[in-house]
Amino acid sequence: MIPARFIWADLRRLWVGSTVVVLLIASATGLGVAVNLQERALRLGSARAAEGFDLVIGAAGSETQLVLSAVFLQLAPLPLMPGSILQKLSADPKVEMAAPVGFGDSFDGMPIVGTSAAFIDSRGHGKLTEGRIFRQISEAVVGAKVKLSIGDEIKPLHGLPDEGGHTHGELAYAIVGRMAETGTPWDKAILVPIEGVWRVHHLVDGHDDREEHEPEPASMTSIRIGPPWNNPPGVPAIIVKAKTIADAYRLRAEYRRDATLGVFPAEVLTRLFATLGDVRSVLAAIAMTTQALVAAAVILVCTVHLSQRRKQLAVLRALGAPRRAVFGLVWVEILILVGLGVALGVGLGYAGARIFSGWLSATSGITGPIALNLEDLTLVAVLLLIAAVIATIPAAMAYRQPTSIALRS
Amino acid sequence: MPSVKLRDVQVRIAGLERPVIDVPQLSIDAGERVAITGPSGAGKTTLINVLVGLERPNTGKVIWDKIDIFDLNEADRDGWRAKNVGIVFQEFHLFPGLGVLDNVLLPQQLRSFRSSAEHRMRAIDLLRHVGLTRLDQDAATLSRGEMQRVAIARALCTRPSVVVADEPTASLDKNSADAVTELLVDLSGSLGATLIVITHDSSLERAMTRAIFMDRGFVMTSEGNV
Ligand SMILES: Nc1ncnc2c1ncn2[C@@H]1O[C@H](COP(=O)(O)OP(=O)(O)OP(=O)(O)O)[C@@H](O)[C@H]1O
Ligand SMILES: [Mg+2]
């Protein structure tokens, strides 16, 4: 096909301009695609992270703080609830599972979360990929991405991961199991019996109605763990699974007064994403403005290019090429550039979103699926359609230009 | 074979008092070889543009074999030109980046999408005839003389009945100019085509059968010179 070679020769001759146009279009498209992909990944990723946390109950305070800490492990010092609430919830017939979560220690930057075996059963579809659940106070189960092996022993460091502090000499945990990957911050957490956390912080172990006392390290292994608890110490949050949806609503209402706070994490997330949605529309507007600016730049480049080609196109017509062919040449050439740019842009956007998402997952533990879907295809189709329409302007200019210039210099 | 008659042709430019060309009557017979001469700005290029339908005159008729080409719509006029006219430019206007053979075939292929095998054969023959054998050589790398010879092959490939050339030898050295003159005369002669050239080159002018001298838009003399 000689016309194809003609177009190729023209693009090659003007390769600097062509490359700039392709890159401009690619970056504008890439920005739009990346914003879409990342927003979707973040939304799906955090929704996934909230799965299984039907109802979270904490001490009265900030709902967002509670959800961020208990669900996303973005740990902040939470006020404690009296232990009696845990006891009461455990005994409530509306409750299928009530697991305490307690924080305060870390190892190698990873949070150590105290909880009960029932909670581990309810996470990650109840599957351990390795080993078994903890059975005594000095055992721990790790998240999928924790770089520790079964049999390793760790000494907790007092304080949240980024606070630092002293190690607790009195207690060490042996890793006995590993949970399946969930794509949530829990993949990087170390789960231990809540009694360990209480004990480390010199609280009673919750199975004992005597006065608070300092336990002997040697006696640690003999302590019973898990429910039922008796006079347990305070906990920052309790994860509750209700028997029915109605029960969940009833429980939330019940624990939404006085000193406690009951929240549906999904609901808090929805509210959070409403705010994020505004950020997204700002980003989308930026992407769109960029695309418009790029479109303007591309039109300008095409017009300049066309004015340099007026003679050549007139010569073609003088030599017998029909008008529609001249129109087609200009139109196809622009669309090739736009098509290349958009394709490259989708690739760039995808790669960019992957990189950002990798960083996000490394820092927050939230892994969102980066995948192109129909929405992105629509964006691509719309961009190409707009380009197809805009390209008719220079093409029409070429179509309408006088033929007499072929013989004039 | 077509002959052409101009009647009361005037081309005016807005803002100019005098018409660029003013030709009440002019006939060129089929198969004639015509040299158009005259000072710069005399209207020579404008006359050729009008003759082959590239520029519409403000008034008058241009009749090729009973067809007034300005009665045709633009697409039909393009079609008429594609079928009947071959054009050679002073600055060749080859398409750089394309091979020599592609240069010859491109205009027709834009019209009919596929060039026929016959068309291709003729292009190759013509290129050989004008002395070019490397058919895929990039046109941008040719010498100027070679460029004009490719342009002649391109103009004659469709077997036009009229060949027009605007100063085809003006930017060539003497040897190349003579070769181009010879090819133009030979090839249009073998087709029986009418040849119309604008030229200041006396040897090209001598190879024609008739000279038209123009000045300030008028055809001053029009005489056979055999
Ligand atoms: N579109 C136009 N706008 C303004 N002036 C024009 C236009 N077309 C032609 N002219 C004028 O008409 C006159 C004749 O132009 P033309 O190109 O036909 O001359 P020419 O005889 O071919 O000259 P040359 O030998 O220099 O090529 C010139 O004075 C030119 O400036
Ligand atoms: Mg001229």
Side-chain angles (χ1 to χ4, degrees), chain A residues 24-47:
Chain A
L24 273 177
I25 295 173
S27 45
T29 313
L31 193 62
V33 169
V35 167
N36 275 354
L37 284 177
Q38 194 52 59
E39 187 268 341
R40 198 183 307 136
L42 200 60
R43 191 155 32 83
L44 293 177
S46 20

Side-chain angles (χ1 to χ4, degrees), chain A residues 32-355:
Chain A
V33 169
V35 167
N36 275 354
L37 284 177
Q38 194 52 59
E39 187 268 341
R40 198 183 307 136
L42 200 60
R43 191 155 32 83
L44 293 177
S46 20
R48 199 163 69 181
E51 254 168 45
F53 293 86
D54 296 358
L55 176 62
V56 177
I57 290 170
S62 153
E63 291 190 4
T64 316
Q65 195 76 265
L66 179 62
V67 169
L68 283 179
S69 286
V71 177
F72 293 96
L73 296 182
Q74 301 296 304
L75 305 180
L78 290 177
L80 297 183
M81 288 177 288
S84 58
I85 305 230
L86 177 60
Q87 224 168 344
K88 205 169 121 206
L89 270 169
S90 305
D92 196 314
K94 299 193 284 298
V95 169
E96 191 179 306
M97 178 212 76
V101 284
F103 329 104
D105 295 326
S106 68
F107 175 78
D108 201 11
M110 294 169 293
I112 294 177
V113 184
T115 183
S116 64
F119 174 73
I120 296 181
D121 275 341
S122 78
R123 294 290 305 154
H125 317 290
K127 288 248 162 57
L128 292 184
T129 51
E130 256 186 281
R132 57 173 175 80
I133 233 159
F134 47 68
R135 286 193 199 121
Q136 41 182 312
I137 193 163
S138 60
E139 291 179 341
V141 170
V142 294
K145 288 188 192 152
V146 173
K147 288 193 181 62
L148 289 171
S149 317
I150 307 276
D152 284 355
E153 207 163 86
I154 58 164
K155 276 196 187 304
L157 185 73
H158 184 71
L160 299 179
D162 39 348
E163 278 175 1
H166 62 276
T167 49
H168 299 281
E170 60 271 41
L171 182 55
Y173 296 105
I175 314 294
V176 295
R178 180 184 301 280
M179 294 192 294
E181 182 162 351
T182 57
T184 70
W186 291 83
D187 288 344
K188 285 192 171 170
I190 299 167
L191 276 65
V192 300
I194 185 83
E195 289 82 1
V197 175
W198 286 334
R199 179 58 54 99
V200 163
H201 296 141
H202 312 303
L203 301 165
V204 290
D205 57 31
H207 295 289
D208 193 14
D209 31 22
R210 279 175 293 155
E211 289 287 290
E212 211 175 295
H213 69 292
E214 192 75 11
E216 293 295 312
S219 70
M220 298 281 283
T221 48
S222 62
I223 289 168
R224 191 174 64 76
I225 61 167
W229 292 283
N230 195 8
N231 270 344
V235 286
I238 302 169
I239 313 294
V240 176
K241 248 190 194 353
K243 290 227 168 79
T244 67
I245 292 177
D247 287 341
Y249 276 92
R250 250 174 255 133
L251 281 166
R252 182 176 69 150
E254 234 171 83
Y255 286 91
R256 241 181 132 72
R257 45 177 97 108
D258 311 331
T260 57
L261 180 66
V263 294
F264 293 143
E267 214 176 74
V268 175
L269 269 186
T270 310
R271 223 175 317 125
L272 217 57
F273 272 98
T275 326
L276 260 184
D278 297 342
V279 176
R280 186 210 125 95
S281 21
V282 170
L283 282 178
I286 292 172
M288 234 133 85
T289 314
T290 317
Q291 278 153 13
L293 286 175
V294 164
V298 169
I299 293 173
L300 193 75
V301 171
C302 289
T303 316
V304 170
H305 174 115
L306 194 67
S307 66
Q308 288 164 349
R309 280 185 89 189
R310 270 165 65 87
K311 185 73 160 235
Q312 190 186 49
L313 295 172
V315 166
L316 268 176
R317 272 190 70 194
L319 292 172
R323 265 177 132 183
R324 56 171 194 280
V326 168
F327 180 96
L329 282 174
V330 173
W331 192 83
V332 166
E333 206 169 302
I334 294 174
L335 238 67
I336 286 175
L337 291 181
V338 174
L340 281 176
V342 167
L344 187 64
V346 171
L348 282 178
Y350 185 77
R354 278 309 270 266
I355 291 168

Side-chain angles (χ1 to χ4, degrees), chain A residues 408, chain B residues 13 16 20-21 38-47 55 166-167 198 200:
Chain A
R408 302 197 183 276
Chain B
I13 302 291
L16 286 186
V20 172
I21 58 169
S40 182
K44 307 180 293 292
T45 299
T46 308
L47 179 63
E55 184 167 0
D166 194 346
E167 308 261 18
I198 298 172
H200 289 109

Side-chain angles (χ1 to χ4, degrees), chain B residues 102-121:
Chain B
D102 287 352
N103 258 277
V104 173
L105 295 176
L106 176 65
Q108 282 311 302
Q109 211 172 77
L110 284 174
R111 179 159 286 277
S112 58
F113 276 107
R114 297 215 137 273
S115 31
S116 63
E118 191 265 322
H119 192 68
R120 224 183 132 77
M121 285 310 298

